[in-house]
Amino acid sequence: MRNARGPGEASCSGMVRRMVGLPRSILGGFSRVMGHGIDLMGIGGRRHHHQPLNFHLPQHQQEPLVIPDEWAFLSSFEQQYGSMHPFFYACQFMEALKIAEDEHKFMFMYLHSPEHPFTPSFCRETLCSELVVQFLNANFVCWAALADRGEGLQMAATLRPASFPFCAVVAPAPGNSLAVLQQMEGPISPAELVEILQRTVEEQGLAFGGARAINAEERRRARAKEEEKMRADHQLREEQDAAYLAALQIDKEKEKLKHQPPRGRVQKPVEASNKLPDHDRFRHNPTQNRYRNGKITASKTRYTDHQKETTPTNQGRDPQATTQLVLQVKEKLEKDYPSLPVGKNGRDDEEMILWFLKDRKFSVDKAVEKLTKAIKWRQEFRVSELNEESVKGVAETGKSYVHDFLDIKDRPVLLVVASKHFPSVFDVVEDEKLCTFLVEKALSKLPPGKEEILGIIDLRGFSTQNADLKFLTFLFDVFYSYYPRRLGEVLFVEAPFVFKPFWQLVKPWVKSYASLLVLQVKEKLETDYHSLPVGKNGRDDEEMILWFLKDRKFSVDKAVEKLTKAIKWRQEFRVSELNEESVKGIAETGKGYVHDFLDIKDRPVLLVVASKHLPSVFDVVENEKLCTFLVEKALSKLPPGKEEMLGIIDLRGFGTQNADLKFLTFLFDVFYSYYPRRLGEVLFVEAPFVFNPFWQLVKSWVKSYASLVKFCSVETVRKEYFTKATLPINFRN
């Protein structure tokens, strides 16, 4: 693919930049699409219209539906290549450009020429690759159109592509102009596309538009500031540890004096100042989780029975106090979770309890919470049953193994060869089993007195076909949730350039990296929104904070803003008061329920029967209460390690009397605003023709959640999502 340079272009930081005048027809205003859809549906133009939607479609329904230009591309593309693609806004060009401007992003524009010979391979291998999808969704507002009709044809005439596929990075410019920051023509690999896009963002950001500028120097300073804070925190922790050791030594001396005969008590207690260790000896690596020269280094705070992290809850604690806390955790687990297994790695394993107490800074409640999840996960994942034979098939690929020898610091070594990992070959569960087995094997090789292992990821030969965002986050998540503080260091060896954007996507999801941001959000909420409730789903709920940070791409300010709205909504909507009894009347209609079984991906299932939904019968608030209650119920059924649910909307028998624009947008809005990233997939089952215009109207309002929707048949639900034993009763006959 070549970078095209046309007449009138200007060079900016060595990159293409030219101004083009936008056609008058494109500048003609917004909302033609909405007007067309609203006229088609025969309803008012406000999104939150309060009248029941008992509308009727125009007569002569047998006439073919004319698909508007704004939806023609997606309709054509998804029919041929499926729904795994970047989120393209189904709207007019100027609307998408305005969205990009509001979000301080550049626009990625793709002109689709279905008949061009290079198009199929580009769409399947590049545009639909996970790396490109993740990168575009995270960094751009995407818009696409057919190159032979409507606005796509007008933009093709304006930009004059010499070949297809044609992509461009554009931004609004003063007047009626468009700044073309980069354009690419012809076939291109996923790695090359991401490299060009990243370079464009980095080099053009500062030069073009202050509000949209991506200032590399500011980012460097921010990273330096963050590392300095980490360094200071680490130093403070070491000083506290040193002070604690000195205090412990004093206590030991006092204890000795108590047991000595009166004549023996001639030695004075050792002064703390004389026994304070040299701090320099305790300073290992001052930064946590750095990515520099292909290396990420985890925090190296070490613990033994006589050296504990000093916090307000354990400062000055002696071994007897620690033993007491272990007993408290054991008693609480036995009382509240008697069904958990006992024995090695069970609820009465004192060594495991002590480890989780250390990880949770000796908070009994937090240790119980995290330990319970870990034990349940071990039980459900059948960790104790994993052995060489059970992982033999995937292990023989050589993608990962435990090294025969320890490193020079006497740590077991877990090694991953990235170039041998192909996500499409083995089921993700098989990879997760191998990962868990190898972690267990590495820990079994720990010498006495050693607590951490070394991870090495060999990135020589890494390419986009090896990129597996889900598995890498699982790997780090396993260490955070189930083997806390066991991963001492991770080496990324010979990381190629193509790995950098992939790592930038993964990095925020590594919880040890995110923990600092969680604390920042907590402090900001406490300072600015002190009146918000605390506790579960409150302003100090770290699990909820982390979830919203992920959703807001780890922007503290954006997470605070969205989380504040969510907590206020939960308070005003009285979510905590919803129960089976409060929604009994509307639930008995059978219009919505949570299925008793999980799907084959272990996701809870929220099922809606559209033909039983009659907007005029129940008040809209009652429908919203049922919806919220069922979402809460489904989330309560999430197995350990799972985060998403499956939504199924059964559209058999759907008619205009069931159409409820307000409720459907509320449903998606709830997931977007209050339960972000909890909806993994939505199945529209057996959608009739009459549903199509209704969905096209809603689609552009539900943002990126539209990409989660899959139209399918009952047979698909039966074969691909459930076993015969777990199939919902609606789909059995």
Side-chain angles (χ1 to χ4, degrees), residues 25-303:
S25 55
I26 284 183
L27 292 167
F30 298 176
S31 304
R32 183 172 42 127
V33 184
M34 289 294 104
H36 174 82
I38 289 167
D39 291 342
L40 179 64
M41 296 303 294
I43 60 176
R46 293 184 60 183
R47 175 178 175 179
H48 298 292
H49 199 277
H50 291 283
Q51 296 179 4
L53 299 178
N54 297 330
F55 52 79
H56 298 280
L57 287 173
Q59 299 299 316
H60 311 295
Q61 294 181 17
Q62 70 276 14
E63 294 181 6
L65 180 68
V66 177
I67 300 177
D69 291 343
E70 291 77 6
W71 300 317
F73 162 72
L74 278 178
S75 175
S76 168
F77 189 90
E78 291 185 352
Q79 284 179 13
Q80 191 167 0
Y81 304 108
S83 58
M84 175 61 178
H85 56 72
F87 179 71
F88 292 107
Y89 280 83
C91 61
Q92 289 183 292
F93 178 83
M94 290 301 295
E95 289 178 289
L97 201 62
K98 179 66 166 59
I99 293 170
E101 186 173 23
D102 292 343
E103 295 188 6
H104 309 307
K105 294 180 178 179
F106 294 135
M107 181 199 282
F108 174 82
M109 178 175 63
Y110 168 58
L111 298 183
H112 185 60
S113 178
E115 305 303 323
H116 196 281
F118 292 153
T119 296
S121 60
F122 172 77
C123 292
R124 287 194 186 92
E125 298 167 15
T126 299
L127 202 55
C128 294
S129 74
E130 184 178 8
L131 178 65
V132 171
V133 171
Q134 293 278 357
F135 188 79
L136 285 175
N137 288 347
N139 297 285
F140 291 86
V141 168
C142 301
W143 180 86
L146 294 173
D148 61 353
R149 62 182 285 186
E151 290 190 333
L153 179 61
Q154 295 166 31
M155 291 309 300
T158 302
L159 298 174
R160 302 189 302 280
S163 180
F164 289 95
F166 176 83
C167 306
V169 177
V170 300
N176 296 332
S177 298
L178 182 74
V180 182
L181 307 179
Q182 182 69 273
Q183 66 184 61
M184 298 148 283
E185 301 170 354
I188 187 173
S189 70
E192 290 172 326
L193 180 59
V194 169
E195 180 182 347
I196 292 171
L197 292 175
Q198 179 159 341
R199 192 168 66 244
T200 302
V201 169
E202 290 177 350
E203 296 187 15
Q204 290 282 16
L206 181 59
F208 188 84
R212 290 177 300 278
I214 300 178
N215 194 325
E217 179 61 22
E218 287 183 4
R219 290 204 313 274
R220 188 193 66 76
R221 289 175 182 171
R223 284 197 300 270
K225 186 176 180 181
E226 181 183 339
E227 289 186 0
E228 181 61 34
K229 184 178 183 301
M230 290 178 180
R231 187 178 296 110
D233 290 344
H234 189 78
Q235 180 176 339
L236 176 61
R237 187 161 56 246
E238 296 290 3
E239 290 172 355
Q240 288 175 330
D241 284 345
Y244 171 70
L245 286 172
L248 186 61
Q249 183 64 29
I250 292 173
D251 290 341
K252 286 182 178 179
E253 294 293 336
K254 288 180 179 178
E255 194 67 24
K256 284 181 182 178
L257 288 173
K258 285 181 183 179
H259 293 87
Q260 285 179 355
R263 292 180 182 178
R265 296 182 184 176
V266 293
Q267 185 179 356
K268 294 182 180 180
V270 179
E271 295 296 332
S273 59
N274 295 333
K275 284 290 183 180
L276 202 61
D278 179 2
H279 295 168
D280 289 337
R281 288 181 295 159
F282 293 88
R283 292 176 189 161
H284 301 291
N285 191 325
T287 62
Q288 306 177 51
N289 298 323
R290 294 185 306 177
Y291 177 66
R292 184 178 296 165
N293 297 326
K295 178 175 177 179
I296 174 172
T297 306
S299 171
K300 293 197 178 79
T301 303
R302 301 185 182 279
Y303 301 90

Side-chain angles (χ1 to χ4, degrees), residues 446-695:
L446 279 168
K450 297 295 180 181
E451 301 173 337
E452 298 174 334
I453 66 177
L454 170 67
I456 300 178
I457 300 181
D458 183 354
L459 290 163
R460 291 172 296 178
F462 174 89
S463 66
T464 54
Q465 61 185 342
N466 310 119
D468 191 347
L469 181 65
K470 185 173 183 180
F471 178 71
L472 193 56
T473 51
F474 168 82
L475 182 63
F476 281 104
D477 216 32
V478 157
F479 279 104
Y480 174 82
S481 300
Y482 312 129
Y483 301 95
R485 299 180 184 269
R486 291 299 197 183
L487 190 61
E489 193 174 3
V490 181
L491 306 181
F492 285 171
V493 180
E494 300 289 353
F497 183 85
V498 69
F499 181 76
K500 187 178 179 182
F502 177 67
W503 170 242
Q504 294 303 327
L505 289 171
V506 175
K507 187 177 178 180
W509 295 77
V510 180
K511 293 188 177 181
S512 53
Y513 171 82
S515 59
L516 292 175
L517 299 182
V518 170
L519 293 177
Q520 289 180 35
V521 172
K522 280 181 70 175
E523 292 169 1
K524 196 168 179 64
L525 287 170
E526 185 176 4
T527 303
D528 299 344
Y529 302 96
H530 186 71
S531 61
L532 290 178
V534 295
K536 182 69 174 172
N537 295 313
R539 60 175 169 80
D540 61 345
D541 185 334
E542 293 189 5
E543 188 175 345
M544 188 179 185
I545 291 172
L546 178 61
W547 198 259
F548 276 75
L549 272 168
K550 290 178 179 179
D551 176 63
R552 295 293 84 191
K553 299 181 177 67
F554 287 83
S555 164
V556 170
D557 291 337
K558 289 181 180 179
V560 167
E561 180 184 3
K562 190 167 185 177
L563 190 54
T564 302
K565 291 179 181 177
I567 296 173
K568 286 181 178 178
W569 171 79
R570 294 184 66 90
Q571 199 173 17
E572 293 166 2
F573 203 73
R574 298 183 176 180
V575 175
S576 61
E577 299 176 19
L578 296 175
N579 53 48
E580 299 279 357
E581 190 61 32
S582 65
V583 298
K584 183 178 179 181
I586 190 168
E588 287 176 347
T589 63
K591 67 168 69 179
Y593 62 92
V594 175
H595 186 42
D596 293 332
F597 300 97
L598 306 178
D599 75 345
I600 60 171
K601 296 181 181 178
D602 289 335
R603 298 176 297 189
V605 182
L606 175 55
L607 205 145
V608 176
V609 183
S611 63
K612 294 182 179 181
H613 177 69
L614 302 169
S616 59
V617 176
F618 280 91
D619 180 67
V620 65
V621 176
E622 295 303 309
N623 285 321
E624 293 174 355
K625 284 182 178 179
L626 176 65
C627 168
T628 306
F629 170 73
L630 293 179
V631 171
E632 290 277 316
K633 184 176 181 180
L635 291 176
S636 71
K637 293 167 70 75
L638 280 169
K642 298 296 179 180
E643 300 173 336
E644 297 174 335
M645 67 175 74
L646 170 68
I648 301 180
I649 300 182
D650 185 354
L651 290 164
R652 291 173 296 176
F654 175 89
T656 55
Q657 72 275 12
N658 309 118
D660 190 347
L661 180 65
K662 184 174 182 181
F663 178 71
L664 192 58
T665 50
F666 168 81
L667 181 63
F668 279 99
D669 219 32
V670 157
F671 279 104
Y672 175 78
S673 301
Y674 312 130
Y675 302 95
R677 297 180 182 268
R678 290 300 195 183
L679 193 59
E681 192 175 5
V682 183
L683 305 182
F684 282 177
V685 183
E686 302 289 358
F689 180 81
V690 70
F691 180 75
N692 190 46
F694 177 68
W695 170 241

